[in-house]
């Protein structure tokens, strides 16, 4: 996705290292026209630019079609982006292609836990110095009911106790919280439960959040770093 590609590439590198350690080969899909990187179009949809979002979806579907046809899992890191392939794409471009893509698209942690359930996951992990992790869920993860896979993926790390923060939206909501007119509302939402829980956490507690907006809200509101689950698993590689 655009955010992890350009702003936090360490997350993509971590995910690739974890998948490679588990024996998987990762392909980086490129646009068929050889142009700019692929985008889910979420940022267009968030401001009502439906035609532009549909054009982005069409580029993505075309590039992924051969992999989907071959039965290769389509794995992503940013919940808002990856889950667009499961939901909005089918609404923007109804048909068999987007339906097939929706069935193959999954978040990084969903893929790991699917492989674990099938008895195929061979991932050697060691304990970390940190023994507790606080987990904040991105709104899309909650809406799609996939928070369990994040907690389960973290629980693969030996001796790590995982606790979910009972929170609503972090308040950032894409670009919403960055706009001056929404700042006060954004911070009030964050202060309802998320930011106080992070502030109260011990210094050696991991703060985990898969959403880029969520991670930045935590950093701006508390000074603490929240990390993607892929980075936690990368650090735990044996």
């Amino acid at each position: 996705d655009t955010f992890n590609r350009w702003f936090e590439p360490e997350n993509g590198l971590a995910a690739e290292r974890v998948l490679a350690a588990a024996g998987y080969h990762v392909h980086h899909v490129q646009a068929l026209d050889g142009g700019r990187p692929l985008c889910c179009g979420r940022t267009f949809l968030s401001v009502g630019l439906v035609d532009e979002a549909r054009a982005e979806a069409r580029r993505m579907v075309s590039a992924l079609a051969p992999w989907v046809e071959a039965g290769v899992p389509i794995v992503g890191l940013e919940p808002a982006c990856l889950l667009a392939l499961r939901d909005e794409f089918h609404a923007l471009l109804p048909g068999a292609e987007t339906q097939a893509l929706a069935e193959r698209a999954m978040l990084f942690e969903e893929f790991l836990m699917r492989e674990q359930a099938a008895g195929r996951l061979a991932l050697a992990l060691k304990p970390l110095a940190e023994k507790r992790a606080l987990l904040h869920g991105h709104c899309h993860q909650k809406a799609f009911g996939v928070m369990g896979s994040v907690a389960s993926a973290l629980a693969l790390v030996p001796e790590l106790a995982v606790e979910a923060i009972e929170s609503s939206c972090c308040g950032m909501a894409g670009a919403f919280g960055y706009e001056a007119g929404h700042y006060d509302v954004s911070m009030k939402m964050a202060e309802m439960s998320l930011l106080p829980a992070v502030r109260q956490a011990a210094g050696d507690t991991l703060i985990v959040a898969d959403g880029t907006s969520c991670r930045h809200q935590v950093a701006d509101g508390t000074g603490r770093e929240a990390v993607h689950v892929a980075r936690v698993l990368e650090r735990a590689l044996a």
Side-chain angles (χ1 to χ4, degrees):
D1 64 89
T2 302
F3 302 101
N4 284 307
R5 175 188 291 270
W6 298 114
F7 298 120
E8 297 177 275
E10 60 273 18
N11 294 334
L13 293 170
E16 185 167 0
R17 287 171 185 145
V18 171
L19 292 170
Y24 301 100
H25 182 72
V26 180
H27 300 269
H28 296 271
V29 180
Q30 307 295 323
L32 296 181
D33 58 14
R36 58 183 174 76
L38 297 167
C39 173
C40 73
R42 169 74 65 193
T43 48
F44 283 128
L45 278 179
S46 68
V47 292
L49 299 175
V50 178
D51 290 340
E52 289 83 350
R54 183 177 290 109
E56 293 302 322
R58 190 171 288 113
R59 292 178 74 237
M60 181 81 80
V61 171
S62 297
L64 292 174
W67 303 99
V68 172
E69 186 176 347
V72 176
I74 309 301
V75 179
L77 298 182
E78 172 62 35
C81 299
L82 186 281
L83 292 170
L85 277 61
R86 295 231 290 259
D87 186 9
E88 284 85 354
F89 274 28
H90 197 49
L92 291 167
L93 299 169
E97 271 194 320
T98 49
Q99 181 59 43
L101 173 56
E103 294 170 0
R104 303 302 301 176
M106 62 196 81
L107 288 164
F108 167 76
E109 58 271 15
E110 286 186 285
F111 172 75
L112 291 180
M113 298 322 298
R114 187 196 73 166
E115 296 298 281
Q116 170 87 344
R120 293 190 294 261
L121 186 65
L123 187 61
L125 300 176
K126 66 179 187 299
L128 298 172
E130 301 90 345
K131 302 303 179 185
R132 183 169 180 252
L134 272 184
L135 173 61
H136 168 71
H138 186 283
C139 288
H140 281 87
Q141 288 175 301
K142 295 172 183 174
F144 280 79
V146 297
M147 282 301 298
S149 60
V150 195
S152 296
L154 288 170
L156 293 173
V157 179
E159 302 175 15
L160 184 65
V162 183
E163 178 185 346
I165 302 173
E166 293 299 327
S167 61
S168 60
C169 178
C170 72
M172 190 62 78
F176 175 89
Y178 276 120
E179 297 176 12
H182 299 151
Y183 177 77
D184 289 342
V185 172
S186 173
M187 295 311 297
K188 285 178 181 177
M189 293 172 70
E191 291 289 357
M192 287 178 66
S193 50
L194 173 60
L195 299 188
V198 172
R199 293 192 193 102
Q200 292 165 14
D204 60 353
T205 296
L206 291 169
I207 310 299
V208 183
D210 279 359
T212 183
S213 296
C214 309
R215 289 193 296 274
H216 284 82
Q217 186 79 312
V218 169
D220 293 339
T222 70
R224 294 283 299 268
E225 180 188 24
V227 295
H228 193 283
V229 63
R231 289 182 61 195
V232 178
L233 295 180
E234 179 196 30
R235 284 186 52 213
L237 289 175

